Every structure is written in C-alpha cells, then in structure tokens.
Amino acid sequence: MLYPAVLESPSESLPLQRSANPYANSRVLDVHRWSEYPEAKQATDEVFECYRSNFGGQRIHETKLKKHIRNILCDLAYNLYEDPERYVAYSRNKNDYLQDSRYNALHIKYALTVHVMDFLEREGYITSKSGFRDLETGVSYLSRVRPTESFHDLLRFHNLGLSMIERHPDTETILLRGPAQTGRKPLLPYEDSRQTTSWRQQITEYNELLSSSQLQIFGRDLPRQHVHRVFSNGSWDQNGRFYGGCWELFSKDKRNEITVNGSRLIELDYSGLHIALLYAKKGIRYTEDPYSIPGYGPEYRKLFKQIMLTVINASSFEEARRAIQVKVNKDRSGKYPKGVKIKPLLESFCQRHEPIREYFFTGIGVFLQRTDATFTEHVLSHFVRTGTLVLPVHDSFMVASSHEQELLSVMEDTYRRETGFLPVISGGRSTWLNS
C-alpha cells in the first residue's frame, strides 16, 4: 500500500484531467502521510475521543489507534486539497498490507486501517464505495473513500493546512517492484548494497533541497514534495525512474506556471529520447521527428507517440495492436483520431523506423527507462551540489531560467557519455539541435 500524490484551502484545488468514470479518479492510501504539527495531533485527538466515547468498553491501544487515525486524516486532507473530487482507495484484503517491511515505516496494519475507515464513515467524516469489478471493462476497483463536509469542518476547526502535511522521515525512497500479479506490481524485499545506499543518499539530499525550497503555482504555495525511485520486475536494471513530484501530474502548460523561490522556470526536453537511444545503439545519431510518419497528418502525432511507447514495451505485434486499440477506444477527449485501423498505423511506424525495428516488441522499454533514469541521476547530482533545484519529469528537466545554459550543458554531457552523440534538446528559449 503506497504512494503518490495541492493548495491551502479545499475550495482552491488545481484543475486536473479526470476520467469519465468518477471511481477511476483515485489514488491509493499513502501509508507514510504524516504531520507532527499540533493542529494534526489535535484533530487526531478529537476523532480519538469520539471513538472512545463510542467504544469505551473495548480494549483500546491508544498509541497505535491514534497513529492510524493521524495517518488517514493527513492523507485524506492532502488528497482533498489536491483534488476534492478524487477518491482515496484502500484495500480490505489483509494480504495487501506489508507489515514489518521497509515499505511500511509507520507499521500501518490491516485491521486498524479498516476499523478506522469504518468508524469515520459511521461518524459522517467520509463516504465510501465498496470494492467492485466493472463488468463492462473487467477492471477491479479497491474500496475507496472521499471526505464529507464534516471532514472539512474538522480541518477548519483545527486550522490543519496543507503546509503542515508531510511524509514520515523514515519513508523508503528506493522501491523494488516485481512483475504484475493480477494487475498489481508487488513491492519486493531486498538487502541493501553499496549501490542502493548511494541511491538513497542522493534522494535524501535532493529531498532536503526540495523541502527547503518554495514551490508555487499561480502564486500559491505547493505542498511539501518527496521524491522516490521505482525499479521494476525485481531488477535494478529496469526502470529506476524518479517519481512523486506533483509537477509530474501537471500538463506542460501548468508546469510553465511553477516558480521556485520566486523564479520562473524553463523546461528542456530530450526530444524523442527512447527512439534516439535505440538509433544510437545502431551507431546512428537520430535528429528527426520520430512521430512524423509519411502519409499521415499532424493530427496523428499523439497517436504515433502512443504507438512508440507501446511497441517498445509490448512483447508482440498483436499485443501492441490490442493495447493501442484499447487506448483509442477509451479516449473521450479527442486526443486520437476516431475510426482508425491500428494495424496499418503500426506497420507504417515500424517501416518508418526500419533501422531499429529489431528492438520493437522485445520489452526493451523498461531498460530505456533505466537509461533515462541514469541521466536524471547525473543532472540532479550536479545541481544538488550547487544548491540549485531542478524538477525532473523523466526525459525533461525544469530549472530557473538563469540556469538554462548550465542545464543544457549538463544534459548534453550526460547524453554524450552514454551514447557518444550529442542529443536534440528542445524547450527553453529555443530548440537546441547540436551538430
């Protein structure tokens, strides 16, 4: 049970894109959301006293119960400030709770979590939707909850604001996930090595710089952020990307409104990074638009970008075709052209990139993510040493505009060390195509 996800009052949340299915607009309960502020402790005490007045005859472990109440209150409040319409999902299956694990620093347990959720619903602090399986889509949903007006009142009465909610300091920042099992990718135990210790230290230093910086959007403070890394399929050679920053959830236009310590940011992007890395494997420096396919207009560009993401992650042509068809069928925003036949689009994309076709349908995507995660390591390490905050978005980076040339130089050097070529970097004040 873990991770993710922004404003000082519930009525001033940032607009986010939402699914047509309201229950799909959700995230899993974050078992490391916490606060040491007296306002959070007072809100916890109020709920606890209400609980004791109802269950006073039962044996109560006050410290453990208060810990679970405070965690749930903090996470519900954080979610409320970020997106009032979004649900917080949690499991009512005991096997989903990682007890005595590096991934559960607060030792949040199944029985008390379920008990507190049921009590909060009974007292009118939350509404809930039991877990279910969607017969139309086949998607299974965890139970999920959303705060009521009474929960709003609790926050207002105790003046519990967003800036008071943070993450527990012992939160694990290096996550190792296994292959998907019934749609979920379990967190795996591991023994620390010199490498994982080094990665954790880098994340700690970055998070310290992040927490000491003032991030704002539209002139309002963003909450305290906390970044972590995720490795996939039980391997330190797969994925390894940096996650957790709220800016990753924003569109590029929204990200343009972020300031750090009062400074506007620019964003530099490795253009077509994964395609370029594959061409580099063949000794080719790729500088073209990988999503411009002969015979198809610009309205197909986003679809070809989705096709690229799919062909490097799928294990077969047919698997890719079906996955892309599902994406197109689910699109309600007009992002993709309607009524298109996926097979000829896939064939055209593969033909356009014939020199690297051997890498398609091999699952190489997670290995390419590992490479771009290494780029992020190098970029963040450089700027942490200088005390300059950079916000990573996988294959792009945001920094104060006064550091644009420095960021450009670091991105170039990082890419060149890996591939032997100079990259195509776009964004900022111009597009940097280096010859």
Side-chain angles (χ1 to χ4, degrees), residues 303 306 322-332 336-340 342 345:
L303 182 51
Q306 182 59 52
R322 289 197 303 267
I324 296 164
Q325 189 67 66
V326 168
K327 286 280 187 181
V328 171
N329 292 346
K330 287 185 176 181
D331 175 39
R332 298 290 183 271
Y336 305 128
K338 296 299 180 186
V340 296
I342 302 302
L345 289 171

Side-chain angles (χ1 to χ4, degrees), residues 135-359:
L135 295 178
E136 182 177 341
T137 65
V139 174
S140 294
Y141 291 85
L142 295 172
S143 296
R144 53 207 58 218
V145 300
R146 200 161 58 180
T148 64
E149 189 61 31
S150 293
F151 188 89
H152 287 240
D153 292 340
L154 179 71
L155 299 185
R156 295 188 193 104
F157 182 79
H158 293 285
N159 295 314
L160 179 55
L162 183 60
S163 61
M164 302 174 186
I165 301 171
E166 52 200 358
R167 302 186 68 79
H168 193 274
D170 294 332
T171 302
E172 180 58 73
T173 54
I174 304 299
L175 282 61
L176 180 64
R177 289 196 176 275
Q181 298 176 5
T182 63
R184 302 184 196 177
K185 298 178 180 179
L187 288 163
L188 303 180
Y190 63 87
E191 295 293 328
D192 271 319
S193 64
R194 186 175 298 177
Q195 180 65 82
T196 59
T197 301
S198 174
W199 286 332
R200 190 177 296 107
Q201 180 60 31
Q202 183 196 33
I203 289 277
T204 298
E205 292 173 358
Y206 177 77
N207 281 330
E208 288 173 352
L209 177 61
L210 186 59
S211 66
S212 67
S213 304
Q214 183 187 41
L215 276 67
Q216 293 187 315
I217 188 167
F218 305 121
R220 295 174 294 186
D221 287 344
L222 287 169
R224 299 180 185 216
Q225 299 298 305
H226 191 273
V227 170
H228 59 277
R229 295 186 70 175
V230 179
F231 295 82
S232 297
N233 298 320
S235 171
W236 300 115
D237 295 324
Q238 299 183 42
N239 193 352
R241 280 180 160 183
F242 293 67
Y243 297 92
C246 67
W247 55 87
E248 296 173 8
L249 304 176
F250 301 160
S251 67
K252 199 158 192 173
D253 288 341
K254 290 285 191 306
R255 293 200 298 270
N256 287 339
E257 300 299 326
I258 296 175
T259 62
V260 172
N261 299 327
S263 296
R264 295 300 297 267
L265 307 182
I266 56 89
E267 183 170 353
L268 297 183
D269 173 51
Y270 285 118
S271 296
L273 178 59
H274 286 178
I275 286 288
L277 289 174
L278 293 178
Y279 273 97
K281 284 178 172 288
K282 305 296 289 184
I284 301 170
R285 180 172 182 257
Y286 189 82
T287 61
E288 301 173 24
D289 180 353
Y291 316 120
S292 177
I293 309 298
Y296 295 93
E299 69 274 16
Y300 285 86
R301 191 175 191 280
K302 291 182 178 178
L303 182 51
F304 278 119
K305 188 170 185 176
Q306 182 59 52
I307 287 174
M308 184 279 292
L309 291 172
T310 306
V311 300
I312 63 174
N313 286 292
S315 59
S316 69
F317 185 98
E318 182 57 25
E319 179 187 331
R321 187 198 66 78
R322 289 197 303 267
I324 296 164
Q325 189 67 66
V326 168
K327 286 280 187 181
V328 171
N329 292 346
K330 287 185 176 181
D331 175 39
R332 298 290 183 271
S333 64
K335 182 178 181 180
Y336 305 128
K338 296 299 180 186
V340 296
K341 294 187 180 298
I342 302 302
K343 184 177 179 179
L345 289 171
L346 258 174
E347 291 172 341
S348 295
F349 184 86
C350 293
Q351 183 177 359
R352 170 72 173 81
H353 295 290
E354 185 64 36
I356 58 171
R357 188 171 188 156
E358 66 188 86
Y359 298 115

